[in-house]
Amino acid sequence: MKRLREWRIDRMTDRVARRPRGRKARATYGSPTSHDFAWPPVLAALDLRPEDRLLDVGCGGGVFIRHAREQTGCDVVGVDHSRDMVRLAGTHAVRAKAEDLPFDDGAFTAVSCLVAFFFFPDPVRALREFRRVLDPERGRLAVYTTAPEAKGSLAAPYPLATRGHFYTDDELLALAREAGFARARIAHREDWSQLLAAQP
């Protein structure tokens, strides 16, 4: 019985959030306001210009990549491991895992990750990949994720919360240092969220 319950939680988590698929997921992550609460602090931390090249990891339906392009004029590429999300995001997105990005070293001047880091099984490996694809001189990272205080709230309800990884501010900073980032700080903090900003 416990095994069946765990399987159901995993299936629901994947379908709804971890690897979104289906009509409802497409409507949610294709909405023009999907995760728009995260856009201002992420854009402020990255300070994007037209000459920048941004990689958005866990891009979902591509709403943020379109917004970032329109607001800043920069070149943007999205990555997601959900086939449905990549199709929804369109030609500016590719299917891949955060821990194994299909891009050359130093290919981007900025990397963003909005409300997806929470689900990465190996956060240090993902952060190392983010660092690898960042320009070593101009690169900057912005990871907007779910804070421990959100566990069990509307932002991270049960049982989905049991499949996510919550990090304190100090833990997030330690992960960035372990991944090799020279500079890291918590650039934005709210009751249920935090923004890690880092540079190679």
Side-chain angles (χ1 to χ4, degrees):
M1 190 68 173
K2 184 181 177 185
R3 212 176 192 177
L4 179 62
R5 182 175 179 275
E6 294 297 306
W7 175 82
R8 283 181 173 160
I9 293 171
D10 274 330
R11 188 168 182 272
M12 178 183 66
T13 303
D14 277 344
R15 192 173 186 90
V16 171
R18 188 166 52 191
R19 193 188 298 267
R21 63 184 181 276
R23 188 177 60 191
K24 188 174 180 182
R26 288 192 296 271
T28 299
Y29 296 103
S31 163
T33 57
S34 177
H35 296 145
D36 62 349
F37 52 84
W39 300 353
V42 168
L43 290 175
L46 294 177
D47 190 24
L48 297 168
R49 307 295 168 90
E51 61 271 21
D52 279 309
R53 187 158 194 244
L54 170 67
L55 174 66
D56 185 44
V57 182
C59 69
V63 181
F64 176 68
I65 63 177
R66 288 189 288 274
H67 177 75
R69 187 183 304 111
E70 289 165 6
Q71 292 296 309
T72 69
C74 73
D75 184 27
V76 189
V77 177
V79 160
D80 205 284
H81 71 161
S82 164
R83 193 183 310 275
D84 276 17
M85 293 299 102
V86 170
R87 284 180 184 150
L88 189 59
T91 57
H92 294 284
V94 297
R95 189 167 177 237
K97 292 183 178 180
E99 300 88 354
D100 189 19
L101 297 171
F103 304 106
D104 292 337
D105 294 2
F108 298 91
T109 56
V111 171
S112 59
C113 181
L114 284 67
V115 201
F117 192 76
F118 172 79
F119 286 119
F120 296 164
D122 190 338
V124 172
R125 185 176 167 191
L127 286 167
R128 283 183 180 138
E129 273 294 272
F130 297 175
R131 183 174 172 269
R132 180 186 67 77
V133 302
L134 277 172
D135 181 297
E137 301 299 323
R138 299 184 298 148
R140 57 256 193 226
L141 169 72
V143 174
Y144 190 101
T145 192
T146 311
E149 295 88 342
K151 195 170 188 177
S153 72
L154 291 173
Y158 286 109
L160 270 67
T162 65
R163 298 302 186 261
H165 306 276
F166 299 87
Y167 304 103
T168 66
D169 294 353
D170 287 344
E171 286 169 339
L172 262 185
L173 293 171
L175 290 173
R177 285 192 292 269
E178 188 178 345
F181 282 92
R183 284 168 286 178
R185 63 191 174 92
I186 301 301
H188 183 80
R189 189 68 159 86
E190 294 183 8
D191 290 344
W192 291 354
S193 64
Q194 65 226 118
L195 175 64
L196 169 69
Q199 294 171 279

